[in-house]
């Protein structure tokens, strides 16, 4: 086992030169069943050697290698005898630091370009078409490969679009193999891993789980751990892994705020208590939340009321657990990367269950710290969690409280739960669920006139919101086919009492937000 690679004896380091692509590269390597980790370009050769990687990938980056203060890698890294693949800026850096030449071309290349293989394409491209489509994004170009290294492909504006030398263990591509638009991208990465690094590709979900289980047992010993379940994917998978490791030394706390989606609370109880046999403290706190929300209409005031009460209820439940020493957190790898420290163990303030107390005095157990979201879902599946939980869309901590405009009442929650269920069910029936980032219904604080049968109605409208997104920072409204919208609309109006109108929100973010409050 490699001490730096959970569940594997093979580690590939991805050096992040500041492009948005480093995470994508790390994921592509993992898709080839090789564990990868992102490191800063300031890493020293000694630090690299200590981690004992089987290969290193330099990412692209926004700099020019000729710019003042351009980031370079410790040249000692080239002396370690570890295969290196440079991508875009990474390839230019390898050329520049090893006797090649990088020059400014008349025009850069951005977007799709045709790559032509010069020789047989070398180890990276052998057996692929002589001409193929690749994704480019560069201004400088390599005009001479590193000393003793052969160019293996070119494009109209990049005379050395790929190079390699097996003896020196140097590989480079000017294009971006990690993006979908590069036809042979995954192949290039896999060739580097297999032929360049001699990787066996044995990192699997089962091996991650085994290692996590071992580590948790070692960390917790015969003490006790507590885990707050929110109904979301991360806390559910974290709890399932920890339960596999320490069984009944784990107690879960699930606070049902009454503001969850239809059947969501039951799903959590069914899965964890009945199927997994987890010791679960299930607090049905709906009434207390409705009391706290009576008369509250302003969005931030609602969030505050929900967040504060959540903490109080969680603390009460925690008091019932004798001597818990550890708190399980569903921290993911992107949170670790963003926090900028591999070893940071702080509790996120924007915790999805609505905020945990600041002064919690627990040691943290974070079994998902090295995983990306899609890997967490795979681990969940492997552990037997149902699709309803593993595939769940992001859901705000304050729940339906911020999807009911104005005062939140039990009746309004019941109305919204029903409409929201229909919207999501129809999207699922249409097979569109996975393309959509979040889809839900919103209940505004207005009523309008309608006619049903011979009767005039005066009821609530329901707004359907469905967006596509990568990370919730920006989002676009989903182009749901008209017939699917029509089914949603007629079902909501016919099946949900008190609703007589359905609207579809066609605002992107920005200028809108995903939620309505
Ligand atoms: P907006 O509405 O700002 O939402 O575009 C971006 C993402 O954040 C979620 N969201 C929240 N999550 N507590 C949370 O845990 C909150 O108060 C909250 N408000 C919004 C939202 O669902 C979307 O995924």
């Amino acid at each position: 086992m490699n001490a730096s690679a959970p569940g594997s004896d093979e580690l590939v380091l991805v050096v992040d030169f500041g492009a948005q692509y480093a995470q994508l590269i790390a994921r592509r390597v993992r898709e080839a069943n090789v564990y990868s980790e992102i490191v800063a370009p300031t890493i020293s050769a000694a630090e690299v050697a200590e981690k004992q990687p089987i290969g290193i990938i330099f990412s692209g980056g926004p700099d020019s290698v000729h710019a003042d203060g351009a980031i370079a890698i410790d040249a000692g890294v080239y002396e370690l005898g570890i295969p290196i693949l440079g991508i875009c800026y990474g390839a230019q850096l390898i050329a520049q630091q090893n006797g090649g030449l990088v020059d400014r071309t008349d025009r850069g290349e951005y977007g799709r370009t045709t790559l032509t293989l010069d020789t047989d394409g070398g180890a990276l491209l052998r057996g692929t078409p002589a001409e193929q489509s690749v994704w480019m994004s560069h201004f400088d170009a390599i005009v001479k490969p590193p000393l003793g290294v052969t160019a293996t492909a070119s494009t109209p504006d990049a005379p050395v679009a790929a190079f390699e030398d097996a003896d020196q263990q140097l590989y480079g591509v000017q294009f971006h193999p990690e993006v979908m638009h590069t036809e042979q991208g995954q192949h290039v990465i896999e060739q580097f891993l297999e032929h360049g690094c001699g990787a066996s590709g044995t990192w699997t979900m089962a091996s991650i789980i085994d290692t996590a289980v071992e580590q948790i047992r070692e960390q917790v010993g015969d003490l006790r751990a507590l885990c707050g379940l929110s109904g979301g994917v991360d806390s559910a998978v974290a709890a399932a892994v920890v339960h596999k490791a320490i069984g009944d030394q784990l107690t879960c706390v699930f606070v049902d705020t009454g503001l969850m989606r239809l059947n969501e609370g039951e799903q959590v109880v069914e899965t964890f208590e009945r199927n997994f046999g987890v010791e679960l403290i299930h607090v049905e706190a709906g009434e207390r939340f409705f009391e706290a929300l009576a008369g509250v209409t302003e969005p931030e005031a609602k969030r505050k009321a929900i967040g504060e009460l959540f903490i109080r209820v969680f603390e009460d439940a925690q008091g019932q657990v004798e001597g818990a020493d550890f708190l399980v957190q569903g921290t993911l790898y992107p949170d670790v990367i963003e926090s900028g420290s591999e070893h940071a163990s702080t509790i996120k303030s924007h915790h999805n269950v609505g905020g945990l107390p600041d002064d919690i005095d627990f040691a943290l157990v974070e079994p998902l710290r090295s995983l990306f979201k899609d890997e967490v879902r795979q681990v969940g599946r492997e552990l037997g969690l149902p699709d309803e939980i593993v595939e769940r869309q992001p859901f705000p901590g304050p729940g339906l409280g911020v999807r009911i405009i104005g005062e939140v009442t039990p009746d309004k929650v019941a109305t919204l739960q029903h409409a929201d269920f229909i919207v999501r069910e129809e999207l699922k029936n249409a097979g569109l669920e996975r393309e959509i980032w979040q889809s839900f219904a919103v209940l505004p604080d207005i009523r309008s006139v309608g006619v049903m049968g011979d009767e005039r109605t005066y009821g609530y409208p329901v707004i359907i919101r469905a967006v596509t997104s990568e990370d919730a920072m920006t989002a676009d409204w989903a182009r749901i086919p008209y017939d699917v919208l029509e089914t949603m609309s007629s079902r909501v109006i016919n099946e949900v009492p008190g609703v007589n109108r359905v609207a579809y929100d066609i605002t992107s973010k920005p200028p809108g937000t995903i939620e309505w409050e």
Side-chain angles (χ1 to χ4, degrees):
M1 277 292 144
N2 180 314
S4 308
S8 181
D9 47 10
E10 295 178 342
L11 165 72
V12 165
L13 293 179
V14 177
V15 183
D16 181 0
F17 282 99
Q20 68 273 40
Y21 297 115
Q23 286 199 27
L24 210 48
I25 298 169
R27 285 172 56 185
R28 296 280 173 258
V29 173
R30 290 176 177 208
E31 276 167 30
N33 298 327
V34 176
Y35 181 73
S36 64
E37 219 171 74
I38 298 171
V39 294
T42 46
I43 193 165
S44 69
E47 286 165 330
V48 171
E50 200 180 317
K51 287 179 177 280
Q52 301 181 350
I54 60 163
I56 308 172
I57 301 181
F58 295 172
S59 81
D63 270 351
S64 157
V65 290
H66 298 298
D68 282 345
I71 329 170
I73 192 92
D74 177 346
V77 168
Y78 298 109
E79 311 299 325
L80 297 173
I82 301 168
I84 302 174
L85 168 67
I87 294 175
C88 196
Y89 177 82
Q92 296 173 2
L93 189 66
I94 293 177
Q96 202 205 27
Q97 288 185 307
N98 293 279
L101 194 63
V102 179
D103 218 350
R104 190 132 277 207
T105 47
D106 292 341
R107 55 199 182 104
E109 279 177 312
Y110 299 94
R112 226 179 278 273
T113 310
T114 300
L115 180 83
T116 306
L117 304 193
D118 288 351
T119 56
D120 66 347
L124 296 186
L125 290 155
R126 190 169 293 132
T128 64
E131 294 208 338
Q132 54 190 281
S133 186
V134 297
W135 192 260
M136 286 287 201
S137 177
H138 68 107
F139 203 83
D140 290 349
I142 304 164
V143 289
K144 208 174 101 205
L147 267 183
V149 175
T150 318
T152 51
S154 60
T155 66
D157 289 290
V160 183
F163 62 74
E164 64 179 63
D165 183 73
D167 293 337
Q168 294 187 59
Q169 298 187 297
L170 291 180
Y171 301 80
V173 288
Q174 180 61 68
F175 57 89
H176 287 273
E178 71 278 21
V179 306
M180 290 300 184
H181 314 287
T182 295
E183 280 170 4
Q184 302 291 332
Q186 185 67 16
H187 178 81
V188 166
I189 289 172
E190 285 172 7
Q191 292 298 103
F192 170 67
L193 296 171
E194 196 183 322
H195 297 290
C197 311
S200 56
T202 49
W203 186 71
T204 60
M205 292 304 134
S207 65
I208 303 168
I209 295 169
D210 288 346
T211 311
V213 163
E214 249 170 64
Q215 284 172 345
I216 295 162
R217 283 189 186 142
E218 195 173 307
Q219 185 186 7
V220 178
D222 51 11
L223 301 175
R224 301 197 56 81
L226 185 74
C227 178
L229 287 175
S230 66
V233 184
D234 306 345
S235 64
V237 176
V241 176
V242 175
H243 183 252
K244 187 175 165 76
I246 59 167
D248 59 13
Q249 288 161 258
L250 169 73
T251 304
C252 288
V253 174
F254 170 52
V255 177
D256 190 338
T257 59
L259 303 170
M260 304 187 72
R261 288 167 288 196
L262 195 66
N263 302 334
E264 208 163 41
E266 280 137 60
Q267 180 85 52
V268 171
V269 176
E270 167 87 24
T271 303
F272 284 93
E273 199 169 51
R274 291 188 213 123
N275 298 355
F276 279 75
V278 169
E279 189 181 320
L280 180 71
I281 300 180
H282 175 198
V283 193
E284 290 188 67
E287 270 180 36
R288 290 179 67 184
F289 278 88
F290 288 125
E291 255 169 53
L293 288 167
V296 184
T297 54
E298 206 270 321
E300 288 312 304
K302 281 197 225 171
R303 277 195 172 79
K304 194 154 177 275
I306 296 169
E308 282 175 1
L309 182 55
F310 186 93
I311 290 172
R312 237 177 296 141
V313 176
F314 188 87
E315 278 174 337
D316 287 351
Q318 180 195 323
Q320 297 172 32
V321 185
E322 268 184 40
D325 310 89
F326 293 92
L327 184 72
V328 179
Q329 288 276 290
T331 317
L332 305 194
Y333 193 41
D335 306 326
V336 176
I337 302 169
E338 270 159 40
S339 75
S341 160
E342 273 182 59
H343 303 292
S345 272
T346 47
I347 297 173
K348 272 190 290 177
S349 59
H350 190 73
H351 193 275
N352 195 42
V353 282
L356 286 173
D358 286 338
D359 53 355
I360 286 187
D361 189 16
F362 284 115
L364 298 183
V365 179
E366 300 177 297
L368 315 178
R369 287 184 64 83
S370 59
L371 302 183
F372 290 109
K373 189 85 175 189
D374 45 346
E375 294 164 348
V376 169
R377 293 190 207 276
Q378 285 179 53
V379 167
R381 261 181 238 119
E382 184 87 16
L383 289 171
L385 287 173
D387 270 3
E388 286 84 354
I389 288 185
V390 170
E391 297 299 334
R392 196 157 274 178
Q393 295 174 347
F395 187 62
L400 301 185
V402 290
R403 292 180 180 170
I404 291 169
I405 314 305
E407 190 183 10
V408 178
T409 64
D411 286 349
K412 285 187 172 178
V413 169
T415 302
L416 181 58
Q417 278 179 333
H418 196 165
D420 179 72
F421 180 79
I422 293 170
V423 167
R424 288 182 298 117
E425 186 173 63
E426 286 307 324
L427 214 58
K428 193 172 172 187
N429 290 344
L432 295 170
E433 206 184 17
R434 295 203 180 176
E435 289 167 34
I436 304 251
W437 172 264
Q438 277 175 288
S439 51
F440 52 89
V442 175
L443 190 66
D445 196 20
I446 50 167
R447 284 192 284 171
S448 76
V449 173
V451 57
M452 281 170 94
D454 294 332
E455 304 259 321
R456 176 184 178 280
T457 59
Y458 189 50
Y460 287 104
V462 153
I463 293 146
I464 299 172
R465 181 76 166 139
V467 297
T468 54
S469 176
E470 293 287 322
D471 53 9
M473 302 298 285
T474 60
D476 197 6
W477 58 278
R479 273 37 174 194
I480 299 179
Y482 283 164
D483 56 339
V484 178
L485 286 170
E486 186 183 346
T487 313
M488 287 176 182
S489 166
S490 66
R491 276 195 63 193
V492 167
I493 286 165
N494 286 312
E495 295 174 33
V496 186
V499 173
N500 67 351
R501 200 177 281 268
V502 173
Y504 187 47
D505 181 351
I506 53 166
T507 321
S508 59
K509 172 184 180 175
T513 50
I514 294 175
E515 303 291 344
W516 266 52
E517 282 200 331

